[in-house]
Amino acid sequence: MRISYNKLWKLLIDREMNKHDLKVAAGVSSASIAKLGKCENVTTDVLLKICEALKVHMDDIMETIDD
């Protein structure tokens, strides 16, 4: 099982935002955004900052996928 952030990328498209806009709005590092893009592990603090900036819940930006 792995985590997918495809929901986050779709949400950004719907809101006409790019990764840089997300980085600035959420106050997270470029490295964290890069990790999200590669579906790598990020801290829950980063995920919470993104959720707060976008005013969404965790299940709105990520999901688990069976391998």
Side-chain angles (χ1 to χ4, degrees), residues 43-58:
T43 65
T44 52
D45 289 340
V46 169
L47 296 174
L48 285 173
K49 286 180 182 181
I50 290 170
C51 287
E52 289 174 0
L54 298 176
K55 295 180 176 44
V56 297
H57 296 281
M58 289 267 199

Side-chain angles (χ1 to χ4, degrees), residues 18-34:
N18 59 34
K19 290 179 181 180
H20 177 75
D21 297 334
L22 176 63
K23 179 183 88 131
V24 171
V28 297
S29 69
S30 298
S32 293
I33 298 296

